Amino acid sequence: MLLRGVLLALQALQLAGALDLPAGSCAFEESTCGFDSVLASLPWILNEEGHYIYVDTSFGKQGEKAVLLSPDLQAEEWSCLRLVYQITTSSESLSDPSQLNLYMRFEDESFDRLLWSAKEPSDSWLIASLDLQNSSKKFKILIEGVLGQGNTASIALFEIKMTTGYCIECDFEENHLCGFVNRWNPNVNWFVGGGSIRNVHSILPQDHTFKSELGHYMYVDSVYVKHFQEVAQLISPLTTAPMAGCLSFYYQIQQGNDNVFSLYTRDVAGLYEEIWKADRPGNAAWNLAEVEFNAPYPMEVIFEVAFNGPKGGYVALDDISFSPVHCQNQTELLFSAVEASCNFEQDLCNFYQDEEGPGWTRVKVKPNMYRAGDHTTGLGYYLLANTKFTSQPGYIGRLYGPSLPGNLQYCLRFHYAIYGFLKMSDTLAVYIFEENHVVQEKIWSVLESPRGVWMQAEITFKKPMPTKVVFMSLCKSFWDCGLVALDDITIQLGSCSSSEKLPPPPGECTFEQDECTFTQEKRNRSSWHRRRGETPTSYTGPKGDHTTGVGYYMYIEASHMVYGQKARLLSRPLRGVSGKHCLTFFYHMYGGGTGLLSVYLKKEEDSEESLLWRRRGEQSISWLRALIEYSCERQHQIIFEAIRGVSIRSDIAIDDVKFQAGPCGEMEDTTQQSSGYSEDLNEIEY
C-alpha cells in the first residue's frame, strides 16, 4: 500500500539518526522504542523490513482505532515534536478517510489534550511539526489512528522526533527541512543549496552553519524568471503554541540585482502581514536580520522573494532561530491580556470612567427570581449604566479601557444585557479612541437583543496608533431610557475567528457544536435535549444559553415528563489520577415546580454512585456557577441527573461544563447565599 520508492528518499536521514535519537523519538527500524500499542485497541504493526509502523483494513474495520502510547516524557525546555506520516485511501472512499490524531496526556489530568489532527490522504510522506511548551510536569504522547472507509485504507508512521527548540527554527541540514515547504511556481522556487549542489548561472555561497561547502541552506535564483514580479515563497510550519520574541536569520542577496526579499506572517484565515523587508542588498557575506515576532495564535512565517526579471540574481537563507526575549533595542510597549481584561469581581481593574455624571456603577445581585445576576458566576459583580437617573436626553456614560499598543490585531469579547428601552439600537456602543481622546471611531453598537439576557459580542480590530477601547451607554430620549449591564470583558491578541481553527479545549464542552463526548442511557422525549433560545414552557427554563446568549445548552423539558422522572447525562470515561480535580459548570433552575439536579461520581466496576453535588427547587432566573472538587484514582464517569418536579414549570438546564486538573483554588460555590440585593461604589437604588 505504501510506495516503496518514497521510502528511499528518507531512509538515509533515518538511519543516520537512529542510533542517537532523543527521548520521545523513534525511527521504527527494529523496534517501537518504548512506544506501545494500547491493548484495548488495534495494534500498530512494525513493517518486516523496518522503516515504519502501520495499521490498515487487513487488521481492522472502518471506525476502529489503533492507539500508540509513548513512555513518560518531560519537556523542561521548549521542544518541537515532528511526525512523519502517511494516510492512504482508495479514490472511492474520499468522503470518509482515515484520521490521525495526536494527544498529550499529563500525569495529573483525567483527559487527553488534542494537539493535532489530520485526515488528508497523500501518496507521499508528510511532516507535522508541533510546538511543546516547556513544563515541569511529566506527560505521554498518544497517537491515535482511526481507520476510514475502503478496503485499502491505511495509516503509517515513519518517524517521531522530539528535539529541544522551536519548530520554526532550521539550519536546513536535514532532509526534512524542519517542515519548511516551497510553494511551487513554474519558474522560480526555493531549492536546497550547498553540499554537492552547484549552479552554472550564479556563484552561490558557502552555507552559514558550517561555513563550508559541506553545509546546506535555502536559495532562490532568478535565472528562470519569465514574467515581471515572479514570486517564490518558503513557508514555515504552523506555530501551535503562543510565542513572542525575536526571530533571527541569516540571508545573502547578490549585490546590485533587482529583487525584493520580504518576511510575512499568515494566520489560519489567510491574512498576510509584512513584518520585515530587506532595505539594501547587503554585502557579499551573510547578513543577520532580527525581527520582532509575535504569534499569540497559529500562524506561518513566509520568506518571499519577488523578482522583476531574469537578472535579479539570487537570495540565500540559513540558520533561522527564535528567542523568547525581545530583539536588541526593542522598546515596544508590551501587551498583557490579563491587564486588559476584567470580570469586575474585585474592582474596575484597569478600566476607568469620566468624572462627570454617575456613569457606570459596579453592582451585585444575589439570587432571586426577578432580576438576573452577573455573567461570571450569577452571584458576583458587574457594571451597570442606569440611564433612568439622567435629567436630560443624550446622557452618555463612558468606560475607558487600558492603553493598547498600536499595529497589533486584537479580539475584544464582552457580555452585555439590556433592560427597559423601547428602542434598543445604539443603547450600548464601543468606540476606539486614540491616546489623546481626540480621534474616535465606532466599531460596534447594539442593534436588537433579547431583553434581560446576557449576550456575547466579539470584535476584531487593528489600529496603527496606541488606542483605548471605550464603552458608551446612551439614552436618546427622556421617555426611552433603561439599564445597560456589562461584564466579563476580555481583550486578546489575534482575530476572534482564529479560535475556531484551534482544537477544542480539553475537558470543556459548551454544547455549541454537539453534545461533545457526553452520552445518555436512553434517548426519548424525557431525555436531556440540546436547545437554543427559550424553552417552550413559560415561567421556567433559560431565555438563552450561558456561553453567548444565542448558543446551545442541555436541558430537560418538564412537560414531556412525569413527576419524579429522571434524565441522566454521562461523561465519557475519565482516567483516574492522583490529586484533586475541579469540575465547573453553569446550571439554570427557574420555575415554581423545579425538581432536583444532582451530580454523581461512578467509579469503574462499582455499582454504587457517590453524590458530589445537589440543588433542589427553584434557585434563580440567572445561570449560576457550580464548583465541585473531588478525587478519584480509578477510571470514572461524571453523571448529571435531573429529576422533574411537581409541575411543568420544572425545566432544568446546564451549560459550559469544564474539567480541570488540581483543586478549585480560591473560587467558592456560593449558590446557597440568601436572596437579596447589594451593590458597591456609587450607591444607587432601582
Side-chain angles (χ1 to χ4, degrees), residues 8 58 100 114 136 240 274 308 313 405 472 519 533 553 616 661 674:
L8 299 177
S58 63
L100 186 61
L114 177 64
S136 59
T240 57
E274 184 181 88
N308 290 332
M472 288 191 185
T519 58
Y553 55 88
R616 186 189 304 273
S674 59

Side-chain angles (χ1 to χ4, degrees), residues 12 38 74 107 135 178 266 310 317 385-386 413 483 499 530 547 632 642 651:
V38 175
Q74 200 161 6
E107 60 181 352
S135 171
C178 318
R266 182 174 65 185
L317 173 69
N386 193 337
R413 291 189 176 95
L483 305 175
S499 59
R530 181 170 164 264
T547 315
C632 188
D651 293 349

Side-chain angles (χ1 to χ4, degrees), residues 383-430:
L383 293 189
L384 186 71
N386 193 337
T387 61
K388 289 183 177 180
F389 293 110
T390 180
S391 59
Q392 57 184 1
Y395 162 88
I396 293 179
R398 289 190 179 94
L399 179 72
Y400 296 89
S403 180
L404 304 175
N407 206 32
L408 292 175
Q409 189 178 52
Y410 296 100
C411 173
L412 167 66
R413 291 189 176 95
F414 59 92
H415 285 81
Y416 68 94
I418 310 292
Y419 304 85
F421 290 91
L422 297 176
K423 295 182 179 180
M424 196 170 293
S425 62
D426 288 331
T427 53
L428 175 65
V430 179

Side-chain angles (χ1 to χ4, degrees), residues 85-144:
Y85 70 97
Q86 186 181 21
I87 299 173
T88 60
T89 187
S90 55
S91 57
E92 64 271 11
S93 58
L94 292 177
S95 60
D96 190 12
S98 300
Q99 185 164 328
L100 186 61
N101 304 314
L102 190 144
Y103 299 86
M104 284 186 78
R105 174 177 291 181
F106 285 99
E107 60 181 352
D108 63 341
E109 293 182 346
S110 58
F111 46 83
D112 300 324
R113 296 176 175 267
L114 177 64
L115 291 186
W116 171 85
S117 181
K119 57 183 179 181
E120 294 77 18
S122 170
D123 57 3
S124 61
W125 295 99
L126 302 177
I127 298 176
S129 302
L130 306 168
D131 284 294
L132 306 181
Q133 292 177 289
N134 48 307
S135 171
S136 59
K137 295 197 296 185
K138 290 183 179 179
F139 64 91
K140 295 177 185 286
I141 295 295
L142 187 147
I143 301 172
E144 176 188 73

